Amino acid sequence: MRRSRAEEFKEFAVGRSSALFRSACLLTSGDAYLAEDLTQETLGRVYTQWGRVSRADNPAGYAQTVLVRTFLTHQRRRSASERPLGELPDSAAPPGGDPALRVALLEALARLAPKDRAVVVLRYWEDRSVEETADAMSVSSAAVRTRSVRALAQLRDQLGGSIAEFAAS
Amino acid sequence: MPFEDDLGDAMRRTGDSFRPPDRSALATEGIRRGRRRLARRRAAAVTGGVLALAAVGLGGTYGGGLLGGADDAGRASSAAAADVPGTPTAPPADPDGSITGRQMLDTLKGLLPEGKITQEEGGGDGSAKPPPYASVVFDDGGGAAAIAVSLIALDPEGTSADGQVTCPSEALVPHDSCTAETLADGSRYLMFQGYEYPDRREETRHWRAALLTPKGVLVDASEYNAPAQKGAEVSRPAPPLTPQQMKALVTDEAWHPLMKELDEPQKEDPAPGAAGRDAVRDGLLGLLPENLEVKDKGGQDGFGFVVVEEKGDGKGASLIQINVQHGMGDVAGDLVSRADDVTTLPDGTKVMLDDDLGTPGRGTVGWTVDTLRTDGFRVVITAFNTGSQDKEATRAEPALTMEQLKTIALDDHWLSLR
């Protein structure tokens, strides 16, 4: 990588790392350590493609997609060793925010299957359409809809009306 | 408020509450990992540029192609052109919005023979990022087939452009047929008949005609014997247009008005410190033992390969490839940790041996000697017991021993490229 391009990537990486890290925190249901790892791995993968990615329409969106794919690959590799439910690791807990909402939502997300969680994060955090979500996850739109319906039902069961209270607060 | 809206709101609040510990550290570690991946990949395989632009066109936009072919999938088709330092500096095509996808589509359709045309896609206008392209599914009655064409501005003197109209070595991209010629007007023309996946894990054929004009416009057309580029069932024995028809397609004057709308190609910078694209290949050729006969050879900046056989012994072809790189000091730890054997020479040069670079399913082995000098200058050489990494083993062992590989990698000749 030539120097100018390396600098350009560094700028991109610093600029995008917060957004990637936040998505990663939701994907890992609050596992900040794993989220950091995923963010770094994602930046590493984008780095190797930077010559083309930097000229593509939307490098930021591309990086978010790589993040989701990296997460799913990681999940496949360690599918047998999911973190026990209900034990949220220390995350980079910020001052402010709504601790109760945060804990409830992350716990509910943790109970979803990883692919379902990825659908929820892409659809409701990144505001992607069903088609865009399908594209990012390399699955069909129908599969995204199925996962979406299932995940929403599960989240509604667990969060119920409480989420509306949080939202109103 | 519907549950979905509440959920979106809760996701945003929760997501926004996370703060990364240190953005700069995240970026730095990301870059380190990227360099490590690159080092691994460059040692494992570098292929010719012939398929490098295949990301353009079928199945949607340039970006979509990128997503589809990224990283893990794309050893054969994507790695080389983007990764080799100094190769593709030109963002292909910067149309001032005047070429529309519609024009591209109309031109393509006007040049196709009788048949049914569906799934029309065209783009490349506006944002200037993806080059102008058009793709359709065409059926002349013999089965639906994807056909795509794009216009790209490339420095006609540069290595990127050269790679687009040069036949790939059979050792790197196995194929059925390939011809490259210079036409009467000085344009260079390539007709490539191969496979979507050079290792033929799917039997989809990929035929490609590419015309590079002296002014630096690449008219790049591809056709398949399937209705989509990746994963679709083969629909017919061969793509619909014959090589002659493909040549007529890319050389037709109908493209001329559109070519004029493309911006001038950016001049390509030579790779820093590179002594010309053939320097590494020629260096390798000069250092081979005399008992080897060279069957094929090639290279790019910083990379060279040969396919050799031992004279008169009939043991079969062996691919030998070598990479010469600068500034790799920061991945020293990773190189050391994955090697089977590491020694440090008196001058501080690390010599790392690895004998398991191959594809177990094909019975291939690759023996690697990786040398890293204290200033980060790296010469890594690998010999395989096959003439092509996409093919089965052709012999029991590579044609060079570890000791011979070491001698070549440490030869003073390479210091001239340091």
Side-chain angles (χ1 to χ4, degrees):
Chain A
M1 202 175 278
R2 290 191 321 264
R3 182 147 302 280
S4 59
R5 205 178 273 168
E7 277 162 10
E8 184 188 283
F9 179 80
K10 173 97 196 229
E11 199 173 297
F12 171 83
V14 171
R16 294 306 306 167
S17 59
S18 289
L20 288 168
F21 177 75
R22 288 189 183 122
S23 294
C25 283
L26 291 172
L27 286 169
T28 60
S29 36
D31 186 336
Y33 181 76
L34 179 55
E36 239 180 273
D37 194 49
L38 283 175
T39 304
Q40 289 161 350
E41 194 61 26
T42 298
L43 289 171
R45 288 181 183 215
V46 175
Y47 177 92
T48 64
Q49 303 284 329
W50 185 243
R52 284 179 303 149
V53 174
S54 62
R55 298 196 301 270
D57 264 348
N58 182 1
Y62 174 75
Q64 297 291 134
T65 298
V66 172
L67 174 75
V68 171
R69 292 184 179 178
T70 305
F71 165 72
L72 292 173
T73 307
H74 174 87
Q75 288 301 318
R76 259 201 310 282
R77 287 202 187 121
R78 54 156 235 167
S79 54
S81 59
E82 274 281 275
R83 196 160 44 70
L85 296 177
E87 268 179 56
L88 290 175
D90 291 340
S91 48
D98 184 334
L101 165 69
R102 191 183 144 90
V103 170
L105 180 68
L106 292 176
E107 278 188 359
L109 287 174
R111 287 170 198 273
L112 297 179
K115 279 193 178 173
D116 289 2
R117 204 184 309 142
V119 167
V120 171
V121 169
L122 285 165
R123 297 272 286 115
Y124 298 101
W125 160 254
E126 294 193 12
D127 280 329
R128 296 207 199 192
S129 68
V130 168
E131 287 70 30
E132 289 164 345
T133 303
D135 196 41
M137 294 179 63
S138 308
V139 297
S140 68
S141 298
V144 168
R145 286 199 190 89
T146 308
R147 288 189 180 280
S148 211
V149 168
R150 185 170 62 202
L152 283 179
Q154 224 176 313
L155 290 172
R156 192 182 283 117
D157 272 358
Q158 283 173 51
L159 298 168
S162 62
I163 200 168
E165 287 167 33
F166 291 130
S169 66
Chain B
M1 208 160 36
F3 179 74
E4 288 181 60
D5 292 348
D6 290 339
L7 177 64
D9 190 60
M11 296 279 288
R12 274 186 292 279
R13 287 201 205 188
T14 303
D16 286 340
S17 73
F18 290 102
R19 295 278 182 279
D22 179 349
R23 290 191 304 156
S24 172
L26 278 179
T28 305
E29 171 62 16
I31 290 170
R32 197 185 67 79
R33 291 190 190 194
R35 291 180 60 77
R36 191 169 58 184
R37 290 180 82 87
L38 224 47
R40 252 192 323 247
R41 176 165 5 145
R42 281 186 186 151
V46 178
T47 61
V50 73
L51 297 175
L53 291 183
V56 178
L58 299 184
T61 64
Y62 192 49
L66 262 179
L67 295 184
D71 204 20
D72 295 329
R75 176 168 71 84
S77 65
S78 63
D83 293 341
V84 176
T87 307
T89 62
D94 200 351
D96 49 325
S98 50
I99 302 181
T100 64
R102 191 72 249 165
Q103 283 174 296
M104 289 293 292
L105 262 174
D106 289 345
T107 309
L108 171 61
K109 284 160 65 183
L111 295 171
L112 291 176
E114 246 350 71
K116 200 173 126 209
I117 292 171
T118 52
Q119 297 186 39
E120 299 178 15
E121 275 187 51
D125 46 328
S127 76
K129 287 289 166 54
Y133 75 93
S135 74
V136 298
V137 171
F138 173 74
D139 192 345
D140 57 6
I147 299 180
V149 64
S150 57
L151 296 184
I152 299 165
L154 285 176
D155 178 358
E157 308 296 326
T159 55
S160 300
D162 185 62
Q164 294 303 322
V165 287
T166 302
C167 285
S169 161
E170 179 70 20
L172 299 183
V173 183
H175 52 271
D176 292 335
S177 148
C178 184
T179 54
E181 57 183 309
T182 300
L183 306 181
D185 69 351
S187 295
R188 293 173 65 186
Y189 173 73
L190 174 91
M191 180 72 214
F192 170 86
Q193 292 175 274
Y195 296 83
E196 177 170 15
Y197 298 100
D199 65 0
R200 297 174 68 169
R201 62 179 180 270
E202 288 177 20
E203 282 291 317
T204 312
R205 288 174 192 270
H206 173 208
W207 290 2
R208 173 173 179 264
L211 179 80
L212 177 69
T213 69
K215 286 199 165 153
V217 177
L218 184 75
V219 185
D220 193 345
S222 285
E223 58 170 347
Y224 300 81
N225 60 337
Q229 193 173 12
K230 293 217 166 78
E233 289 283 310
V234 163
S235 57
R236 49 191 298 144
L241 303 187
T242 63
Q244 291 74 21
Q245 286 174 307
M246 286 292 273
K247 186 173 185 178
L249 174 72
V250 297
T251 54
D252 199 282
E253 286 183 3
W255 298 112
H256 291 183
L258 295 177
M259 287 180 182
K260 291 202 185 99
E261 302 297 335
L262 280 181
D263 276 1
E264 293 282 310
Q266 283 186 12
K267 277 281 162 204
E268 227 173 71
D269 309 328
R277 60 183 303 241
D278 296 331
V280 173
R281 180 199 71 184
D282 292 345
L284 175 60
L285 283 168
L287 294 171
L288 290 174
E290 301 228 329
N291 66 325
L292 297 180
E293 190 180 344
V294 176
K295 296 286 185 186
D296 195 4
K297 61 190 176 183
Q300 300 172 341
D301 289 326
F303 168 71
F305 77 90
V306 292
V307 178
V308 297
E309 274 182 37
E310 277 147 73
K311 286 176 187 160
D313 85 335
K315 278 190 191 163
S318 180
L319 169 67
I320 298 162
Q321 55 183 34
I322 188 161
N323 285 272
V324 176
Q325 301 167 334
H326 302 87
M328 301 305 282
D330 58 340
V331 293
D334 302 306
L335 298 178
V336 166
S337 68
R338 70 161 197 269
D340 298 329
D341 178 86
V342 182
T343 47
T344 304
L345 303 182
D347 69 357
T349 301
K350 288 198 163 41
V351 179
M352 298 156 282
L353 311 183
D354 193 349
D355 65 3
D356 54 5
L357 198 71
T359 310
R362 297 177 186 275
T364 57
V365 295
W367 292 350
T368 299
V369 173
D370 200 342
T371 66
L372 185 67
R373 298 185 189 254
T374 49
D375 62 354
F377 182 69
R378 178 187 186 210
V379 177
V380 52
I381 182 167
T382 302
F384 294 90
N385 62 339
T386 171
S388 163
Q389 286 187 81
D390 288 315
K391 292 191 176 156
E392 309 284 323
T394 47
R395 47 187 293 140
E397 292 184 342
L400 292 176
T401 64
M402 277 286 193
E403 210 45 49
Q404 288 175 309
L405 291 171
K406 199 153 65 170
T407 305
I408 294 175
L410 289 171
D411 195 281
D412 283 347
H413 171 79
W414 303 117
L415 298 183
S416 65
L417 304 177
R418 198 169 178 174

